[in-house]
Amino acid sequence: MKLKATCTLSVTAASDCPLVAMLRPRSGQSQWIISDRYDLEPWVPVTEFVDSYGNLCQRLIVPQGRMRIAVEVTMKVPAQIEVATYAPRTLVTDMPADVLHYLLQSRYCPSDKMQSQAWDIVGNALPGYPQVAKICSWIHDNLHYRYGVSSSTTDALDTLEHGAGVCRDFAHVGITLCRSMQIPARMVVGYLHGLQPMDLHAWFEAFVGGRWYTFDATQAEPRGGRIVLAYGHDAADVAFISDYGMQPLRIDDMFVDVVAV
């Protein structure tokens, strides 16, 4: 399917503020850019680099005052995500070297503290994809999607304690439970067509059957129509805006839209 995604945000800086943004997707095997536009008002010099996860990062300095950042991209993406009910567990000895680090605990995913809970959740599910699917279903059925419960410091253990959170919290729980069972898992942020209310979205991928598969615990069923902006260990690696000024950058407003074209 063909999707057009738009993200427009206005920010205010108390003084000149260095910034790194992740607002441009990359073409790849599962998505392809047809056209894109990246506009700044006022215009300032921008450089782009690829981080250690393969994400496109835009580096600039927001001048004192107000700036508008507008991004629009039209992409071809799968209308359905692949489901592999019987994809087996991938042994650690068979994992590619660039996948191994997704077994490690990270800031928001303390996988060393959730092993017993993970095994309780998966029960007698077959090793591999069925175990991850069981984790995903458990999160969807047992956690409430609720704004205002979590903050920028909330990790997976906090979310389980609160019993609620938003998409990034659901993804952190899924990632943590998978890693605690030696299943590599990574954070994904991007756009989801038909999401209500519309916003930038987060989900996770797990490495089973020798490849990555998409899982989204906020949804009752697997859904396609996704544009990936960034991958990482957890939310610390995939922030769409990271500012490094003497005073925090203020986001005044943000508009996100995704339509089929």
Side-chain angles (χ1 to χ4, degrees):
M1 68 187 303
K2 187 188 297 186
L3 296 178
K4 183 172 79 171
T6 304
C7 180
T8 304
L9 59 151
S10 296
V11 299
T12 299
S15 59
D16 289 3
C17 180
L19 177 148
V20 175
M22 290 187 188
L23 292 170
R24 257 188 94 216
R26 295 187 72 175
S27 290
Q29 186 174 4
S30 60
Q31 60 181 33
W32 194 261
I33 297 174
I34 298 171
S35 64
D36 68 334
R37 180 177 65 88
Y38 201 118
D39 192 28
L40 305 173
E41 297 178 8
W43 179 257
V44 296
V46 182
T47 59
E48 190 166 60
F49 65 93
V50 179
D51 70 9
S52 59
Y53 300 98
N55 306 315
L56 290 179
C57 304
Q58 302 81 52
R59 185 177 181 180
L60 61 138
I61 296 178
V62 178
Q64 181 179 13
R66 189 175 172 90
M67 171 177 272
R68 178 177 177 270
I69 304 173
V71 183
E72 181 180 287
V73 61
T74 301
M75 302 197 75
K76 289 284 286 185
V77 301
Q80 314 278 323
I81 60 172
E82 292 191 56
V83 174
T85 309
Y86 299 106
R89 175 193 185 94
T90 301
L91 297 177
V92 174
T93 52
D94 295 332
M95 292 176 188
D98 61 353
V99 170
L100 284 172
H101 62 98
Y102 289 110
L103 289 171
L104 302 175
Q105 64 188 65
S106 55
R107 175 179 175 183
Y108 296 106
C109 301
S111 50
D112 59 322
K113 300 176 182 178
M114 294 175 63
Q115 289 180 334
S116 61
Q117 184 161 10
W119 286 106
D120 288 342
I121 289 170
V122 301
N124 58 359
L126 293 174
Y129 191 101
Q131 291 177 323
V132 185
K134 193 74 175 287
I135 288 170
C136 199
S137 296
W138 184 91
I139 295 169
H140 183 270
D141 294 342
N142 289 274
L143 298 182
H144 299 285
Y145 195 93
R146 187 182 306 146
Y147 291 98
V149 177
S150 57
S151 69
S152 59
T153 62
T154 300
D155 67 11
L157 285 174
D158 297 327
T159 298
L160 289 177
E161 182 179 347
H162 298 153
V166 292
C167 56
R168 69 170 243 158
D169 304 310
F170 281 37
H172 284 154
V173 174
I175 292 166
T176 306
L177 291 169
C178 286
R179 290 180 189 166
S180 69
M181 302 177 63
Q182 295 188 0
I183 297 174
R186 63 185 181 183
M187 185 89 161
V188 191
V189 295
Y191 302 99
L192 173 59
H193 178 245
L195 182 69
Q196 294 295 332
M198 181 52 69
D199 201 347
L200 290 177
H201 190 51
W203 60 94
F204 74 97
E205 292 183 352
F207 193 88
V208 292
R211 51 156 292 182
W212 293 103
Y213 287 94
T214 296
F215 296 88
D216 188 346
T218 70
Q219 306 298 307
E221 301 291 339
R223 287 179 57 181
R226 297 170 187 269
I227 296 175
V228 173
L229 285 174
Y231 298 101
H233 278 98
D234 56 29
D237 300 322
V238 295
F240 69 93
I241 292 287
S242 298
D243 60 284
Y244 302 98
M246 297 300 293
Q247 296 175 272
L249 188 74
R250 189 179 77 220
I251 299 178
D252 299 315
D253 57 69
M254 181 171 176
F255 171 79
V256 177
D257 188 40
V258 183
V259 296
V261 296

